[in-house]
Amino acid sequence: MQTLIPSRLQPGDTVGIISPSSTLYARKEKFEKAVEVFTQKFDVQVKLSPHVMGRHYYSSGTTQERLDDFHHMIVDPEIKAIIFSIGGNTAIDLVTGLDYELIKKHPKIIAGISDASTLLNPIYAKTGLLTFHGLEFTDFGLEPMTYETEQIKKTFFAGETGALHANPAWYDFDNQKTSYAGWQTIKEGKA
């Protein structure tokens, strides 16, 4: 299968934000701040899917509502990239309902982290579309996001690839600063 590489972002482009998993119900202020910061840092417009702030139990919407949000963003010609708002536990509900041919016909940047891999991996496997793991949109509600901003500009806007370096500002889940001893190779190869 041929690898599809999505078009780069340009200043002024529109980025679609969806919640294919957890609800943002308890994170509304952080999310609104993330929208503000993201648009300023990257000089882009942000378009929210209808259920991005939805709530259906612990998901942002029913399975069908979340699928509709995803498919709407895929076919919207104004949207140049789709970023998942947060992770969660329910993206798996969408895997069998995704229209992979539709995604293949409308290749665009698709990015997220955590539960996003549940969607990113089958999208790549079934369409060949290169997807991006490693971005949680709501984190932009927590400044400064310097490392992340640098990587997004390099990858999504400049189309550059290359060596990644450790994030010097990373904190673990207990809010303890992480110290890196350097990269560790578990199994050599090419990715």
Side-chain angles (χ1 to χ4, degrees), residues 17-24 48-74 82 84 90-91 93-95 97-99 119:
I17 309 297
I18 65 172
S19 296
S21 196
S22 287
T23 179
L24 290 167
L48 306 180
S49 66
H51 300 96
V52 74
M53 297 290 290
R55 185 175 179 196
H56 180 75
Y57 298 99
Y58 45 84
S59 295
S60 67
T62 65
T63 300
Q64 190 60 54
E65 288 169 339
R66 291 178 285 139
L67 280 168
D68 290 346
D69 282 0
F70 190 91
H71 292 140
H72 173 75
M73 292 287 183
I74 285 292
I82 299 170
F84 302 158
T90 59
D93 300 343
L94 308 185
V95 172
L98 283 176
D99 187 334
L119 300 177

Side-chain angles (χ1 to χ4, degrees), residues 159-172:
E160 296 176 12
T161 59
L164 295 175
H165 60 277
N167 181 352
W170 187 257
Y171 285 82
D172 68 17

Side-chain angles (χ1 to χ4, degrees), residues 17-134:
I17 309 297
I18 65 172
S19 296
S21 196
S22 287
T23 179
L24 290 167
Y25 182 77
R27 301 175 181 146
K28 184 177 180 180
E29 287 180 23
K30 181 180 173 187
F31 177 73
E32 289 171 348
K33 177 69 174 171
V35 170
E36 178 186 324
V37 169
F38 195 85
T39 57
Q40 290 173 356
K41 281 188 183 277
F42 301 107
D43 189 23
V44 295
Q45 304 300 311
V46 169
K47 188 173 189 177
L48 306 180
S49 66
H51 300 96
V52 74
M53 297 290 290
R55 185 175 179 196
H56 180 75
Y57 298 99
Y58 45 84
S59 295
S60 67
T62 65
T63 300
Q64 190 60 54
E65 288 169 339
R66 291 178 285 139
L67 280 168
D68 290 346
D69 282 0
F70 190 91
H71 292 140
H72 173 75
M73 292 287 183
I74 285 292
V75 298
D76 186 335
E78 184 179 47
I79 303 296
K80 303 302 180 196
I82 299 170
I83 299 177
F84 302 158
S85 62
I86 56 174
N89 300 310
T90 59
I92 190 75
D93 300 343
L94 308 185
V95 172
T96 58
L98 283 176
D99 187 334
Y100 295 100
E101 285 303 311
L102 192 68
I103 295 167
K104 193 173 185 175
K105 287 180 189 173
H106 303 276
K108 27 186 100 174
I109 292 170
I110 301 174
I113 198 168
S114 189
D115 200 35
S117 61
T118 307
L119 300 177
L120 298 176
N121 290 333
I123 288 171
Y124 175 73
K126 292 179 180 275
T127 68
L129 177 62
L130 183 68
T131 58
F132 300 88
H133 188 268

